[in-house]
């Protein structure tokens, strides 16, 4: 990785790093990524994707995406590099008992066209005992919209109209192609509308520690 940065915004660790040799990697496997959108895994009306139904599509099916990438050879270099970023985040944020633990990863892709956006959401699971982290690898036209994180204290103190919370309700990170963002799975986030006439493609993943 060329750069690695962990920002403790809202006292929450958010890691921003760069996928190694991303340009060459994406040029090699671009067709394989795009082919996943022509498969039967597409969910064009996923509830978290806002805008006209024709402006976005998503492969919200991790098993199907994994099968597709294994067929093309994409899976190995993708997981190998993401593992490096994930391990760095774990070492910076979790106790030592987790540093060498195994983890399982589910991956999917989003294609967001002009006018589309993602609603505020988190990736939290029903089981509070599980240790999850989430992340995104920005593949194409990432700079057309940032990722915006919501201060977790907003829900606790929002009704009190606390000036400090109101001033720091959100934290925006501008991203470029090849950027990897990793954060706790319970942290709410959203993506503003893509106002460009180009397609924005993002690979998203959830990681279960000890899975």
């Amino acid at each position: 990785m060329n750069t690695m940065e962990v920002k403790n915004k809202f006292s929450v660790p958010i890691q921003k790093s760069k996928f190694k040799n991303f340009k060459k990697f994406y040029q090699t496997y671009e067709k394989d990524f795009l082919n996943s959108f022509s498969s039967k895994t597409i969910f064009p009306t996923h509830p978290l994707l806002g805008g006209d139904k024709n402006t976005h599509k998503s492969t919200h099916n991790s098993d199907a995406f994994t099968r597709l990438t294994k067929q093309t050879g994409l899976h190995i270099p993708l997981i190998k590099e993401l593992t490096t970023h994930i391990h760095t985040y774990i070492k910076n944020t979790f106790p030592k008992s987790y540093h060498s633990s195994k983890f399982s990863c589910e991956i999917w892709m989003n294609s967001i066209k002009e006018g589309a956006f993602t609603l505020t959401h988190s990736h939290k699971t029903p089981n509070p005992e599980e240790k999850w982290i989430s992340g995104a690898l920005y593949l194409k036209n990432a700079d057309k919209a940032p990722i915006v994180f919501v201060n977790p204290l907003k829900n606790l103190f929002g009704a009190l109209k606390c000036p400090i919370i109101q001033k720091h309700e959100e934290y925006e990170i501008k991203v470029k192609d090849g950027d990897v963002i990793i954060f706790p799975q319970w942290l709410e986030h959203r993506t503003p509308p893509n106002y460009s006439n180009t397609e924005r493609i993002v690979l998203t993943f959830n990681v279960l520690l000890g899975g």
Side-chain angles (χ1 to χ4, degrees):
M1 290 170 289
N2 297 326
T3 59
M4 177 69 66
E5 183 179 10
V6 177
K7 295 179 178 294
N8 285 287
K9 293 295 181 180
F10 323 129
S11 296
V12 176
I14 301 171
Q15 176 178 290
K16 180 181 181 182
S17 52
K18 202 73 176 179
F19 196 97
K20 186 177 180 180
N21 298 323
F22 174 76
K23 187 175 182 179
K24 181 180 180 180
F25 168 80
Y26 190 67
Q27 288 176 343
T28 302
Y29 294 105
E30 181 176 13
K31 289 184 179 180
D32 298 325
F33 278 116
L34 299 181
N35 283 342
S36 70
F37 286 123
S38 62
S39 71
K40 294 181 180 180
T41 65
I42 300 301
F43 293 82
T45 57
H46 192 276
L48 292 178
L49 295 171
D52 184 88
K53 66 179 181 180
N54 296 317
T55 62
H56 50 66
K57 49 190 175 180
S58 173
T59 58
H60 270 78
N61 186 320
S62 180
D63 291 338
F65 180 81
T66 299
R67 287 196 301 271
L68 286 166
T69 56
K70 283 184 175 179
Q71 292 172 2
T72 63
L74 163 61
H75 190 76
I76 294 176
L78 174 65
I79 297 301
K80 182 179 180 181
E81 176 65 13
L82 286 182
T83 296
T84 303
H85 297 254
I86 292 166
H87 272 310
T88 300
Y89 183 85
I90 292 172
K91 289 180 180 179
N92 285 331
T93 57
F94 285 87
K96 287 185 177 180
S97 58
Y98 287 96
H99 290 184
S100 59
S101 64
K102 295 181 179 179
F103 58 82
S104 58
C105 187
E106 56 183 20
I107 302 175
W108 66 96
M109 285 174 58
N110 291 322
S111 168
I112 302 177
K113 297 184 179 180
E114 183 178 6
F117 55 93
T118 56
L119 303 174
T120 299
H121 66 287
S122 73
H123 298 188
K124 65 181 179 181
T125 61
N127 186 352
E129 299 300 319
E130 293 180 339
K131 303 295 184 183
W132 285 87
I133 57 178
S134 297
L137 166 60
Y138 294 87
L139 298 174
K140 186 175 181 181
N141 297 319
D143 59 347
K144 304 307 178 186
I147 182 171
V148 180
F149 292 99
V150 179
N151 190 335
L153 295 178
K154 180 180 179 181
N155 293 330
L156 294 175
F157 295 100
L160 301 177
K161 298 189 182 301
C162 176
I164 295 178
I165 301 302
Q166 287 182 323
K167 185 178 180 180
H168 303 284
E169 284 188 355
E170 296 184 333
Y171 170 52
E172 177 182 300
I173 297 180
K174 295 181 179 179
V175 290
K176 297 180 179 179
D177 294 352
D179 282 349
V180 180
I181 303 291
I182 300 180
F183 51 93
Q185 48 83 24
W186 47 260
L187 184 61
E188 290 188 327
H189 55 284
R190 64 181 178 85
T191 303
N194 174 13
Y195 290 115
S196 73
N197 58 2
T198 57
E199 184 178 35
R200 186 175 185 271
I201 300 178
V202 183
L203 182 147
T204 310
F205 54 91
N206 289 330
V207 177
L208 172 61
L209 275 63

